[in-house]
Amino acid sequence: MTDRPQQEWWSAAELAEAGLPDMPGSKRKINEMAAREGWKARPGKVRRRKGVGGGMEYHWSLLPTRARLALIERREDTPEPKISRDEAWAEYESATATARRKAGERLAVLAEVEEIEAAGMVRSLAVTTVATRSGASEKSIWNWFARVEGIAHADRLAYLVDRRSLRKKAMPVAPSAEFCEIVKSDFLRLSGPSLTSCYDRAVRIAEKDGLSVPPIHQVRNWIKATISEPVLIYHRKGVEALRRFYPHQTRDKSAMVPLECVQGDYHKFDVFVRWPGEALPVRVQMVVFSDVYSGKILAWRFDVSANSHTVQLAIGDLVERYGVPQHALLDNGREFAAKAITGGTPTRFRFKIVDEDIPGLLPLLGVKVIWATPYSGQSKPIERAFRDLCDRVAKHPAFEGAYTGNRPDAKPENYGSRAIPLEDFRAVVAEEIEAHNARPARRSEVAFGRSFNDVFNEAYSRAAISQATEEQRRLWLLRVEGLRADSKNGELKLHESRYWAEWMYRIAGQKIAARFDQDDLHAGLHVYDLAGGYLGHAPCMEAAPFLSVEDARTHNRKRKAFIRATKELAEAERQLDHHEIAARLRAAGKPVGEDLPKADVVRLVPAHPKAPKPARRRETTDEREATARLEAQITRLSERRAAPVEDDPRTRFDRALTLEAMLAEGQPMTAEQGSWLAEYQQSAEYRGFARLRRAFGQEE
């Protein structure tokens, strides 16, 4: 037994918990004993405690004799059970930086001892030598070796950390559980009340119910320790705030090429513009399409409101100037989800998807539509360009006095003092967009300090671009409507106008897509099927004045020409007349023969009471013998029916077998016997005997 305990320095709380003889059992009593015996006056026997909590530590030699002997007897004769490797490294991570540094110094001391020991010196002498050189006590070095005994060299560092330095934060206990729950439930609301107001309301409840009221700082600490930040955000700020709390996704564009994907969106300028036909100044809306790879703005159009026709024209500008993109990133607005733009796309968020949807412009051009997440500006990089336009266009010097402010409470002092003519507005926007594309020092992952124009032009010259045909130009130059042709002749009706051509009988009753110039409805319709195939042109049937004889004659002349052409076509289609077909039928026919097939079943006609009786024929010997046999059989059956039938299952089954044999041999049965047999064959008793008979054979 050594003359020293394993732990030499003790705090008042540790001494109280140790339960040593001749020592008080509380921290307060230990401090009183230390003050009474003057422990602080003993040099080298008292020191300030390092680490969490602070306070004073006392050397074990200050304790009474019996207490010192108890500490020596408690030393680590049985080593402290080692924690697992994962727990050791977890404690190492939670230790302070100073504790981790000291653990590294201890590991270096042990390595030096083992190095000297490997050179031929015994361990005890090696420990003494290293202790003198490093300044560590021999006892500490031996304790360190005991800690890492049986531990792999790679894990020794985790086991050498001073466990007293671990930053262990115990979960605070609610001072008053019911009171704190009241405060927490009131605090976790979307209206976001302050903790002070929740605490004050809980105090009023506690005074009535007789609950203990802890100080507010304890309640605040308990809420911080027990409620996680995501839960707090969800209860007080909502799901959208919780979604923003989650880290955003970084998407790489370096592997893309120009026109691999374009993005489109609407932007409403904070500028008053004089729009033709509008009595009051308006805030113009602009639909913009930009290249996702380079960020360059490719096409834009203006209108008073967001609508699918403006989107259609902007897509046409993009395709006609640069080519057909492969993908289009769009939001969920009605102007983009309209059937004229994305009809036939199965993943739209709006409108009901039906098989008879007219194909939209983008599906007809072979562009794959990608829908951005609703209410998520991060899903569309074009939002960053809109932020630039808000500053460089809406606040342009040429628009001074027409700026409206971006919020109702942010109106400038000269609000509404002027409105910009539309042409001047177009010119400034075009100039600023060109400057936006040409501005150098862009910091995207593909720009590397270049402008959007440089990035787009360099990659565009090497990319494979699809160009639109003249037939495809009609897809964006004309407005589209889904119509159903008249079931009789295929006539179409649109905006109180009627359209028809001679070929349209082929689409009678069918759903079609009609494209037209919305500024000239009398120019007719270009008719497409739902697969995008062009069917033909349908001219407008203009209404004629009621008393116009000339218009009536013209209409009658066209109708006669149509009938005459149809007659000629009908005559050409029928090569044989009805006389020739009838003659060929007579030649192919067969004469009706007199021979009839012999009837296998003959039904006798019952004789009328007043019909004459036929003459009686003399019976032959064979007929008399057959009659005698039949009478004998009938007699036997009568006797069998007269005999009493025992109500026994086996007897009933045997009777059924007899009747079945008679039926198989063609012997006659009475109506009662046939009815009984048919009913008995449907019973469970009959089926059970029949299964036994099939399984085990007929009993003798």
Side-chain angles (χ1 to χ4, degrees):
M1 178 181 298
T2 62
D3 56 350
R4 290 176 177 273
Q6 180 184 4
Q7 181 177 342
E8 298 183 2
W9 293 91
W10 296 75
S11 66
E14 292 173 343
L15 290 174
E17 294 177 358
L20 300 175
D22 300 334
M23 294 293 294
S26 66
K27 178 180 176 180
R28 183 175 62 84
K29 293 294 184 179
I30 293 290
N31 289 329
E32 292 178 355
M33 179 179 179
R36 185 174 59 253
E37 296 183 1
W39 287 0
K40 293 184 179 181
R42 304 282 297 275
K45 301 298 183 180
V46 180
R47 69 182 185 184
R48 184 164 296 278
R49 186 182 182 187
K50 298 179 181 180
V52 181
M56 305 302 295
E57 287 184 331
Y58 306 103
H59 196 264
W60 73 285
S61 60
L62 295 174
L63 306 181
T65 303
R66 290 206 308 162
R68 293 199 304 269
L69 293 176
L71 288 178
I72 294 175
E73 292 176 356
R74 292 183 185 182
R75 64 161 281 102
E76 288 186 326
D77 294 333
T78 57
E80 181 182 354
K82 291 185 173 60
I83 59 177
S84 66
R85 178 174 179 267
D86 294 338
E87 293 175 345
W89 280 110
E91 291 183 351
Y92 177 83
E93 291 295 330
S94 64
T96 61
T98 302
R100 291 198 295 267
R101 177 180 55 80
K102 289 184 177 181
E105 295 174 354
R106 294 174 180 178
L107 182 65
V109 169
L110 298 186
E112 186 177 359
V113 171
E114 291 179 340
E115 184 178 357
I116 296 176
E117 185 181 3
M121 187 179 294
V122 296
R123 172 165 291 190
S124 59
L125 187 57
V127 168
T128 302
T129 303
V130 174
T132 303
R133 186 183 304 173
S134 63
S137 65
E138 297 182 22
K139 179 63 176 178
S140 298
I141 297 177
W142 285 110
N143 290 337
W144 298 342
F145 270 115
R147 287 190 184 184
V148 299
E149 184 178 359
I151 304 301
H153 282 71
D155 297 328
R156 281 185 172 184
L157 181 62
Y159 286 87
L160 289 175
V161 70
D162 189 355
R163 302 185 67 182
R164 294 177 299 175
S165 66
L166 300 181
R167 295 190 293 265
K168 295 182 179 179
K169 295 183 180 180
M171 184 66 66
V173 180
S176 174
E178 187 174 354
F179 180 86
C180 290
E181 286 297 333
I182 296 174
V183 177
K184 182 177 71 171
S185 301
D186 191 11
F187 184 68
L188 298 180
R189 292 188 288 120
L190 288 176
S191 55
S194 65
L195 183 62
T196 303
S197 64
C198 298
Y199 178 83
D200 293 340
R201 285 189 288 269
V203 168
R204 296 203 300 265
I205 298 175
E207 291 176 352
K208 180 180 179 181
D209 297 345
L211 303 176
S212 61
V213 180
I216 188 172
H217 71 274
Q218 294 183 3
V219 178
R220 181 181 291 108
N221 294 336
W222 178 79
I223 289 179
K224 288 182 179 180
T226 56
I227 303 176
S228 65
E229 186 67 17
V231 173
L232 193 66
I233 292 175
Y234 172 76
H235 279 293
R236 292 178 60 86
K237 298 181 180 180
V239 178
E240 183 62 22
L242 184 62
R243 186 186 65 82
R244 293 193 300 268
F245 176 80
Y246 194 84
H248 69 276
Q249 182 187 37
T250 301
R251 292 180 289 180
D252 185 21
K253 300 185 294 186
S254 59
M256 299 178 67
V257 295
L259 294 187
E260 182 177 350
C261 182
V262 297
Q263 54 185 335
D265 202 357
Y266 260 96
H267 176 69
K268 192 172 186 178
F269 285 101
D270 301 324
V271 179
F272 278 140
V273 177
R274 289 201 300 268
W275 190 272
E278 296 290 337
L280 298 176
V282 298
R283 292 175 58 191
V284 175
Q285 296 213 49
M286 179 179 68
V287 59
V288 180
F289 281 91
S290 67
D291 180 52
V292 173
Y293 167 71
S294 62
K296 178 179 179 178
I297 296 178
L298 303 177
W300 61 93
R301 285 270 183 157
F302 300 98
D303 209 330
V304 178
S305 61
N307 58 82
S308 60
H309 184 59
T310 308
V311 175
Q312 183 176 336
L313 295 177
I315 294 175
D317 295 341
L318 186 154
V319 174
E320 193 163 3
R321 182 173 182 182
Y322 298 100
V324 181
Q326 301 178 29
H327 302 81
L329 178 63
L330 306 175
D331 67 3
N332 194 31
R334 291 181 178 273
E335 59 277 3
F336 293 106
K339 297 181 180 181
I341 305 300
T342 56
T345 304
T347 54
R348 288 181 298 168
F349 295 99
R350 295 185 182 269
F351 307 112
K352 182 179 180 181
I353 307 301
V354 296
D355 295 335
E356 293 185 349
D357 269 354
I358 61 173
L361 172 60
L362 293 177
L364 286 176
L365 292 175
V367 180
K368 183 178 179 181
V369 178
I370 303 174
W371 298 104
T373 303
Y375 308 106
S376 176
Q378 299 89 339
S379 302
K380 296 175 294 183
I382 198 173
E383 299 288 349
R384 176 64 177 84
F386 287 160
R387 190 173 68 181
D388 285 349
L389 295 179
C390 287
D391 179 49
R392 299 176 183 269
V393 174
K395 300 179 181 180
H396 195 275
F399 299 159
E400 185 65 21
Y403 178 64
T404 64
N406 57 357
R407 298 189 314 274
D409 58 346
K411 297 178 181 179
E413 187 173 350
N414 59 355
Y415 174 83
S417 59
R418 64 185 290 235
I420 309 301
L422 179 59
E423 294 304 321
D424 296 345
F425 181 78
R426 290 181 188 272
V428 172
V429 171
E431 179 183 348
E432 290 301 321
I433 288 179
E434 183 58 34
H436 172 84
N437 291 335
R439 189 176 307 129
R442 296 293 186 178
R443 294 179 296 177
S444 68
E445 63 268 33
V446 296
F448 300 108
R450 299 175 294 170
S451 67
F452 292 157
N453 278 339
D454 295 336
V455 176
F456 181 85
N457 295 336
E458 179 184 352
Y460 184 82
S461 60
R462 303 191 305 267
I465 305 299
S466 301
Q467 299 293 339
T469 63
E470 286 298 324
E471 290 76 11
Q472 289 176 320
R473 296 182 76 249
R474 286 198 298 263
L475 300 179
W476 65 77
L477 292 179
L478 299 177
R479 189 177 179 89
V480 62
E481 288 285 348
L483 303 175
R484 185 174 294 278
D486 185 83
S487 59
K488 181 175 63 176
N489 55 12
E491 177 185 328
L492 299 174
K493 293 181 181 180
L494 178 65
H495 300 309
E496 304 301 329
S497 298
R498 300 164 60 214
Y499 302 86
W500 186 79
E502 296 179 3
W503 59 270
M504 293 175 62
Y505 69 90
R506 297 196 302 267
I507 63 171
Q510 298 181 15
K511 184 75 175 293
I512 55 92
R515 296 186 179 273
F516 58 95
D517 186 351
Q518 64 177 1
D519 297 327
D520 188 8
L521 294 178
H522 294 280
L525 306 178
H526 293 279
V527 184
Y528 295 78
D529 60 20
L530 296 183
Y534 184 67
L535 300 177
H537 182 263
C540 180
M541 300 176 64
E542 299 184 10
F546 188 81
L547 298 178
S548 176
V549 178
E550 185 61 30
D551 290 338
R553 288 176 179 175
T554 302
H555 180 74
N556 189 36
R557 186 166 55 250
K558 290 181 178 179
R559 181 169 55 191
K560 288 182 178 180
F562 168 72
I563 294 174
R564 184 169 55 254
T566 304
K567 284 182 178 180
E568 293 175 358
L569 181 61
E571 292 297 332
E573 292 292 339
R574 193 174 68 175
Q575 299 180 2
L576 301 176
D577 60 10
H578 61 281
H579 298 292
E580 292 176 334
I581 295 176
R584 297 185 66 170
L585 282 174
R586 288 194 298 269
K590 295 181 179 180
V592 180
E594 297 295 336
D595 296 336
L596 296 176
K598 184 179 180 181
D600 294 333
V601 180
V602 179
R603 184 175 61 182
L604 298 179
V605 179
H608 194 273
K610 296 183 179 181
K613 302 293 184 180
R616 299 192 63 177
R617 184 176 58 87
R618 187 183 296 274
E619 292 182 347
T620 62
T621 305
D622 295 336
E623 291 175 345
R624 286 194 297 269
E625 293 178 355
T627 301
R629 288 196 300 271
L630 180 59
E631 292 176 352
Q633 186 175 3
I634 292 175
T635 302
R636 290 196 303 270
L637 290 175
S638 300
E639 295 175 353
R640 185 177 300 174
R641 286 198 303 268
V645 180
E646 299 181 3
D647 190 12
D648 179 66
R650 183 65 187 182
T651 303
R652 287 194 295 269
F653 183 69
D654 291 341
R655 180 186 176 191
L657 293 180
T658 303
L659 294 178
E660 288 177 349
M662 293 174 58
L663 186 62
E665 295 175 359
Q667 298 180 11
M669 287 192 303
T670 63
E672 292 80 5
Q673 290 175 327
S675 176
W676 181 88
L677 178 62
E679 182 178 356
Y680 182 71
Q681 287 176 337
Q682 302 299 323
S683 64
E685 178 183 303
Y686 173 83
R687 291 194 297 270
F689 277 114
R691 284 195 296 269
L692 291 174
R693 183 181 179 86
R694 288 193 299 269
F696 301 103
Q698 184 176 3
E699 298 180 2
E700 296 297 336

